Amino acid sequence: MLKHRHIAALSVAFALLLAACSPKATGTGSLTPAPAGEQPHPGGTLTFIVNAEPPSFDGHRETTFALLHPIAPHYSTLYKFDPGDLTKVIPDVAAAMPEVSADKLSYNITLRTDVKFHDGSVMTSEDVVATYNKIIFPPTGVLSPRAGAYAAVESISAPAKDKVQFKLKYPSASFGTNLASPWNFIYSAAKLKTDIHWYEKNIDGTGPFTYVSNTKGQDWVGKKNPDYFAKDKSGVQLPYLDGYKALIITDATAEVNAVRSKQAMIEFRGFTPQQRDDLSRALPNDLAIQEAPWICVNYVVPNTKKKPFDDVRVRQALTLAIDRYAGSTALQKITIVKDVGGLMRPKGPFAQSDADLQKIAGFGTDAKANKDKAKQLLADAGVPNLTFKFLNRNITTPYEPVAVFVLDQWKQVGINATHDVKETSAYQADLRAGNFDVALDFNCDFLDEPDLQLAKFWSASGLGKGLNFAYYDDADLDKKIDAQSRETDPAKRLALVADIEKYAMDTKAYQYPVLWWYRIIPYLNVVRGWRIGSNHYTNQDLATVWLAQK
Amino acid sequence: MTAVSDAEIIARRSYVESTGRRRFVRFWRDFVRRRPLGTAGAVLIILMVFAAIFADWIAPYDPIANRFQDLLLGPSPEHLLGTDAFGRDVFSRIIFGSRTALLVGFTASIVGCTIGLVLGVVGAYFGGKIDMTIQRLMDILLSFPLIVIAIAVVAALGTGEDKIANVIAAITVPIIPRVARVVRSSALSVVNMPYIEATRSVGSGGARIMFRHVAPNVFAPYLIMMTAFLGQAILLEASLSFLGLGVFEPTASWGLMLRGAGMQFLERAPWLAIAPGVAISMAVFGFNLFGDSLRDALDPRLRTG
C-alpha cells in the first residue's frame, strides 16, 4: 500500500513535468476562410462547441448565445443578415424587403407561401403576428427582454394570409433592421394559443434543421429539414449539411482540446489569443482563423434595490475604482476583451470620441486620482470598507479574468468583494430575482444600434423588465432613451446618446461597462460558408454552412 | 482495604504522567531514528503547516494583487516560481494555497474520521439491526468512488467563495464509510474482551463503555486513517477546484491554479502548472509517508526492535 500510494503521488508530479516540458508545436493557422470559387459540397455533420446550457428553448425570452447556437438552426426569422455580407439585411420567411409608407409609420411585408413548420403545418401571417405580439406586447407572466427595442410599434396586423403590417407610433431609425433580430424565431400561432410557454420546453420551427435530441450537459442534435424553403443562388436546396451536433463543453481547456483533436470543428463564440496561438501551433495545416471587433461588453451592475448600492456615491465609487486602460492592456493578452468604451461599441458609428469618454466617471486616464475619489466617496457614504458578494457566471472566458481584475481594482480602494460564481441558469435566475449585491452582467447585440444597446437602461418595471438588473426606475432616463429612438437626424441622435451615456454611467452611475470584447474564431478549415460578424448571434442558422472534402 | 493517602495519589499520578511523557518522547525518538521516510513526511507536513500559519510573513507578495507589468514572467530571483496571467506571484499563491489545502484537509479528515469512529464503535458495540443498518448505509456510500460522492455533495450544497464549508462537507462524506469500516473491525475484537464485560458488570452504561473503554483502544487505526485521509482530502480539494466545484478565483488554491492559467498557458508558461502540481504531490506524498510510518510504528505486529 505504501509503495502504491507513493508511486501514484510521484506519477502525478512526473506527468505534470512531462506535460509542461513537451515540445511546442510550430506554425500558424490560415486566415483565409475558404478558397475563392469553391463550390459548396452537400452532406456531412457539423460538430461545434457550445460552452453553456440554454436556460430554456425560447429565443424570445433568453439573452444568451447558449440558446442561439444550438437552437437557431431550427428556426427562421422574418428577415436575417446576409451570410455573405453580414452588414446587409435580406428576407428570410419574408418574400421581399418591407414596403415602407412615405411617413415611415407603416411597414407592409409580404411573406413566402412555401414555409412549413417542422410539424407539417404551413406558416401564415397569423404565425408572424402571434410571434411579434409575444415579443413586443408580452402578456403578463411572459418575459420579453427585447420588447424595449420595439417601443415604436403601435400594432401588428395580418391583412392577408401572406401579408403582415406593422404600424408605428413614430418613425424609428432602427425598426427595419430590428426585424432581422436573430432572437425573433417565428413560432406557430396555434402552439402559442394553446400554451404561451410551449416554446420554453419544446421546438417547432421553420428552420433548416429539425430537432433530433438534446442530452443535458452533453449535446444537442439536429438533422436536415427536407422541407426547408430556401435554396442557394444556384438553386441547390439548403441546408447543405445533413445535420449538426452541438457539444456542450463548459471547460475552456476541454474546448480547445476538442478542436485540437478534431472532435469539434468550431466554437462560434470565440477563443482567447492564447488558445488561438496554441491551436495554430498544433494544427498548422488544418486551421482557419477569423477575427473581428465584437458588440459585446461586460457590465458591472450594482443592485440599486439593496443598500448601500441605492446610494449613488457608492455606485460612482465602484466605477471610479476600475482602471480600464490598464485592464485593457493586460487583459487583451489573455482573454477576449480589448477596447475601453461607453455604452456604444468603441470606434462604432455611435461611439463618443476618446476625449469625451474620458470626462465620464471611471473612464478618465488618471487612475490614481480616480481611486482617491472613489475612496472619498465610499467614506462619505459611510462604507469605507465596503463588503459584498460579486455575482458572476461560471463561463471562464472572459467572465473569470474580468472579475479577477475588477475584484483587485476594488480591493485597492478598500472594497472587499467575494466572488460568487454560478452556472448560467442559476446566475440568470439570481439576476432575474434580484438576488445579488453587485453582478458582472453582459450585453451583446447583433447590431450597432442605440435602441439595442440602451435596451437594458429602460426602467426595470417598464421596458427594461428582464434586462435591467440594476433594478432602478427612472422616468427621466426613459424619456432620454425614447427621444434618441425617435430622432432621425444622425448628428442629433449621436448627441442624445452621448447625453444618456453621461447620465447613466456618471450622474446616476446605474451600471457601467468594464471592457468591450474582441472576437477570435479559430476553426478547422473544412468548415466553409461561415463568416465572422461583429456579434455571435447572427448567421447561426447554419443553412449555408458546408464541409469541404479533404 | 488499604487507605491511600493524598500524597501517595499525587505521587502515583506524577509517576504515570512522567512515564507517559517518557513514552511519548521515546516513541518519537524511535520514530525519527527508525523511520526516515516517515520523518521526511513529517518534515514536509511541518513545512506546510508553517507556511500556512505564517503565510502573511513568508509570502513576498500579495497573492491576489494584479501586477500588469509582470504578466507571465518566468522564475527569477524577484519571483521564485514566476508570475501568472494576472502578474500575481506564483510562489506567494503556493504559500497561501497551503492554507486552503490544510483548512479543507484537516477539517474534512478530522470530522470525517471522527464521525466514522463513532459509527464504527456504535455498530460494533450494539451489533444486530443497528450494526446492519449502519453497515448497509456505509456499503452504499462505499459503492461510489470518492470523487463521485464529493461531486454529488458539492453539487447539491452549492459552491462559492463563501461556501468553503460545502467543499469540506463534500470531502468529509466519502471519508466516513471508509473509516467506519476499519474502526468497526478493530472495535469488534475489543467489545468481546473480558475487561469490557467487567466494566459492564460494574454497571457502566453503553455510552461510557463505547467512548471511554472501546474508542481509546481503536485510536491507533483512527489516527492512521486520519493522516492517510489528510492527503486524500487535500487531493480531493484540489480535484474539486480543478473541476470548478471548489473555491473560486482569486482565492489561492493549488487545484484552482492548475485549472485556470495552469492549463491555459501550459505550453507558454509551464511553471504555472508545475508549481501547484508539485505542491499537491508533495503534500499528499508527505501525509502518505507519515501515515504509513505511523501505522507501522503503532501496529504491534509490525513493530520492530
Side-chain angles (χ1 to χ4, degrees):
Chain A
M1 188 180 176
L2 173 82
K3 279 182 183 170
H4 286 165
R5 275 205 241 145
H6 296 171
I7 289 167
L10 285 171
S11 300
V12 173
F14 188 64
L16 283 163
L17 280 166
L18 270 182
C21 300
S22 61
K24 291 174 184 176
T26 54
T28 55
S30 163
L31 280 164
T32 311
E38 201 177 22
Q39 290 304 306
H41 177 86
T45 300
L46 178 78
T47 312
F48 61 92
I49 299 164
V50 183
N51 64 15
E53 286 278 349
S56 81
F57 304 165
D58 184 357
H60 302 174
R61 171 192 160 92
E62 304 302 342
T63 57
T64 169
F65 72 96
L67 176 139
L68 274 183
H69 289 189
I71 296 176
H74 299 310
Y75 291 97
S76 310
T77 49
L78 201 46
Y79 292 92
K80 67 178 184 180
F81 288 87
D82 186 347
D85 176 3
L86 290 166
T87 59
K88 194 175 136 195
V89 172
I90 57 170
D92 197 3
V93 300
M97 295 308 288
E99 289 169 20
V100 185
S101 63
D103 60 3
K104 296 181 180 170
L105 292 177
S106 177
Y107 282 65
N108 297 292
I109 297 165
T110 304
L111 304 176
R112 296 179 70 117
T113 53
D114 55 351
V115 181
K116 280 184 181 174
F117 284 98
H118 296 163
D119 67 359
S121 58
V122 175
M123 187 209 76
T124 67
S125 55
E126 194 189 336
D127 300 308
V128 177
V129 170
T131 294
Y132 272 90
N133 270 325
K134 177 173 178 281
I135 294 166
I136 301 173
F137 310 111
T140 309
V142 173
L143 200 59
S144 179
R146 286 167 292 273
Y150 302 90
V153 177
E154 187 174 68
S155 66
I156 314 153
S157 60
K161 278 203 160 187
D162 64 339
K163 305 270 187 214
V164 175
Q165 185 181 61
F166 288 87
K167 282 208 177 266
L168 307 191
K169 290 177 263 185
Y170 50 85
S172 165
S174 67
F175 178 69
T177 323
N178 271 335
L179 291 176
S181 168
W183 302 100
N184 296 358
F185 299 158
I186 301 298
Y187 288 163
S188 156
K191 295 272 191 320
L192 291 176
K193 196 174 176 186
T194 311
D195 177 8
I196 194 85
H197 299 288
W198 190 86
Y199 279 94
E200 289 174 19
K201 291 180 181 172
N202 301 281
I203 302 285
D204 181 27
T206 56
F209 294 90
T210 58
Y211 172 79
V212 173
S213 65
N214 161 38
T215 309
K216 200 169 167 59
Q218 189 176 317
D219 59 28
W220 187 291
V221 182
K223 70 173 182 186
K224 181 175 188 158
N225 173 11
D227 295 328
Y228 186 54
F229 55 86
K231 292 184 168 62
D232 71 4
K233 284 169 187 166
S234 309
V236 177
Q237 174 70 41
L238 294 174
Y240 298 123
L241 295 168
D242 288 337
Y244 71 89
K245 182 187 258 193
L247 303 171
I248 314 291
I249 302 177
T250 55
D251 179 75
T253 309
E255 285 178 56
V256 175
N257 288 338
V259 176
R260 195 175 191 151
S261 60
K262 300 185 181 176
Q263 291 176 58
M265 298 165 180
I266 189 167
E267 196 267 355
F268 291 111
R269 184 167 165 268
F271 281 135
T272 65
Q274 181 63 37
Q275 290 168 332
R276 172 200 59 201
D277 296 345
D278 287 348
L279 283 170
S280 293
R281 281 193 293 267
L283 302 168
N285 302 314
D286 298 311
L287 202 75
I289 301 166
Q290 297 188 49
E291 299 186 7
W294 202 343
I295 313 173
C296 252
V297 64
N298 280 115
Y299 274 93
V300 167
V301 182
N303 185 347
T304 61
K305 293 285 179 205
K306 283 199 174 181
K307 284 190 181 299
F309 307 106
D310 56 342
D311 187 330
V312 69
R313 293 171 298 183
V314 175
R315 301 197 300 266
Q316 284 170 336
L318 292 183
T319 185
L320 278 163
I322 303 169
D323 180 0
R324 292 167 171 84
Y325 300 97
S328 167
T329 308
L331 293 179
Q332 66 177 275
K333 293 175 188 163
I334 59 168
T335 190
I336 55 173
V337 296
K338 196 169 184 179
D339 294 319
V340 178
L343 305 183
M344 303 295 125
R345 182 171 64 85
K347 302 180 185 75
F350 295 94
Q352 293 196 56
S353 68
D354 288 348
D356 287 336
L357 183 70
Q358 286 164 14
K359 291 174 191 161
I360 293 174
F363 291 84
T365 50
D366 188 344
K368 190 182 175 304
N370 288 343
K371 283 194 166 65
D372 288 344
K373 194 172 176 190
K375 284 180 195 168
Q376 186 59 52
L377 285 166
L378 289 171
D380 293 347
V383 283
N385 299 307
L386 180 60
T387 301
F388 60 84
K389 278 207 238 179
F390 187 42
L391 178 67
N392 197 3
R393 66 200 301 198
N394 70 342
I395 296 178
T396 312
T397 307
Y399 294 87
E400 186 178 279
V402 168
V404 170
F405 161 69
V406 169
L407 290 167
D408 179 59
Q409 294 292 301
W410 285 338
K411 195 180 169 208
Q412 291 175 33
V413 297
I415 295 170
N416 180 24
T418 51
H419 198 190
D420 188 20
V421 183
K422 298 193 171 169
E423 65 177 33
T424 296
S425 301
Y427 160 87
Q428 293 213 322
D430 274 358
L431 279 184
R432 285 173 180 165
N435 183 26
F436 67 95
D437 298 327
V438 180
L440 187 67
D441 191 13
F442 68 99
N443 190 52
C444 292
D445 288 312
F446 64 93
L447 187 67
D448 284 305
E449 166 54 51
D451 282 357
L452 295 177
Q453 275 90 81
L454 298 177
K456 69 191 287 101
F457 286 83
W458 289 101
S459 287
S461 59
L463 289 169
K465 193 173 184 180
L467 268 184
N468 176 357
F469 300 120
Y471 289 103
Y472 59 83
D473 286 321
D474 186 329
D476 291 341
L477 183 53
D478 288 350
K479 277 181 198 159
K480 287 172 188 277
I481 297 172
D482 187 51
Q484 69 74 30
S485 184
R486 290 166 189 258
E487 183 55 65
T488 51
D489 180 317
K492 286 182 184 168
R493 194 177 186 210
L494 206 59
L496 290 173
V497 170
D499 179 50
I500 290 169
E501 288 192 303
K502 173 80 178 159
Y503 182 83
M505 295 196 293
D506 187 335
T507 311
K508 296 286 184 178
Y510 286 132
Q511 42 189 343
Y512 18 78
V514 184
L515 291 167
W516 285 76
W517 299 6
Y518 186 74
R519 198 170 176 212
I520 303 168
I521 310 286
Y523 61 100
L524 299 188
N525 58 14
V526 291
V527 179
R528 304 285 164 85
W530 181 84
R531 191 178 290 272
I532 195 169
S534 59
N535 66 86
H536 57 307
Y537 297 140
T538 52
N539 199 21
Q540 287 304 140
D541 69 9
L542 308 179
T544 53
V545 173
W546 55 282
L547 301 177
Q549 284 192 315
K550 281 205 160 186
Chain B
M1 195 175 279
T2 316
V4 181
S5 69
D6 287 352
E8 200 171 336
I9 290 170
I10 291 165
R12 278 182 189 176
R13 272 191 194 154
S14 169
Y15 172 76
V16 169
E17 280 168 14
S18 67
T19 307
R21 253 197 314 273
R22 272 206 299 273
R23 272 189 193 163
F24 183 78
V25 171
R26 196 170 62 212
F27 174 83
W28 287 112
R29 200 179 54 213
D30 288 350
F31 186 91
V32 170
R33 206 175 59 224
R34 290 178 185 164
R35 304 185 195 284
L37 279 177
T39 308
V43 169
L44 281 174
I45 295 167
I46 290 165
L47 279 176
M48 196 175 155
V49 172
F50 183 80
I53 294 170
F54 299 104
D56 289 315
W57 292 276
I58 299 169
Y61 298 92
D62 180 342
I64 61 171
N66 296 188
R67 276 173 295 277
F68 299 127
Q69 69 279 13
D70 292 341
L71 302 186
L72 296 170
L73 295 180
S76 66
E78 288 78 35
H79 300 282
L80 289 177
L81 298 176
T83 63
D84 69 7
F86 296 96
R88 299 176 298 195
D89 182 58
V90 173
F91 179 65
S92 301
R93 288 182 68 73
I94 291 287
I95 299 280
F96 274 89
S98 64
R99 276 190 180 173
T100 311
L102 283 182
L103 172 71
V104 174
F106 269 111
T107 315
S109 61
I110 289 171
V111 174
C113 289
T114 305
I115 296 173
L117 172 85
V118 171
L119 290 175
V121 170
V122 167
Y125 180 78
F126 287 108
K129 284 183 180 171
I130 293 176
D131 187 34
M132 198 185 73
T133 308
I134 293 172
Q135 290 314 309
R136 294 302 77 80
L137 281 172
M138 296 302 109
D139 284 344
I140 291 169
L141 288 173
L142 280 169
S143 65
F144 295 99
L146 216 70
I147 187 78
V148 173
I149 299 186
I151 289 172
V153 173
V154 87
L157 297 177
T159 56
E161 194 174 291
D162 58 338
K163 290 177 184 162
I164 202 157
N166 293 354
V167 178
I168 292 169
I171 297 168
T172 301
V173 170
I175 291 174
I176 295 169
R178 285 157 178 84
V179 177
R181 182 57 61 87
V182 172
V183 167
R184 177 182 173 271
S185 65
S186 297
L188 275 175
S189 60
V190 176
V191 292
N192 293 320
M193 283 190 170
Y195 81 91
I196 298 292
E197 268 306 309
T199 313
R200 195 177 286 127
S201 66
V202 296
S204 295
R208 184 178 173 82
I209 294 172
M210 279 189 286
F211 299 110
R212 189 74 194 264
H213 300 290
V214 179
N217 284 292
V218 294
F219 205 66
Y222 165 80
L223 211 60
I224 293 158
M225 297 288 279
M226 196 188 292
T227 55
F229 278 114
L230 254 162
Q232 290 283 312
I234 289 170
L235 201 59
L236 214 50
E237 185 276 323
S239 306
L240 288 174
S241 294
F242 183 82
L243 293 171
L245 295 167
V247 295
F248 293 117
E249 281 280 5
T251 305
S253 151
W254 296 342
L256 203 58
M257 289 168 78
L258 262 179
R259 169 181 170 254
M263 294 296 283
Q264 203 182 333
F265 297 94
L266 192 59
E267 289 183 18
R268 188 174 154 195
W271 57 88
L272 295 181
I274 291 174
V278 169
I280 294 166
S281 299
M282 287 295 109
V284 177
F285 192 52
F287 278 110
N288 283 352
L289 281 177
F290 181 67
D292 285 337
S293 295
L294 194 64
R295 183 198 60 191
D296 295 349
L298 290 174
D299 189 337
R301 288 166 297 180
L302 296 173
R303 225 176 262 163
T304 52

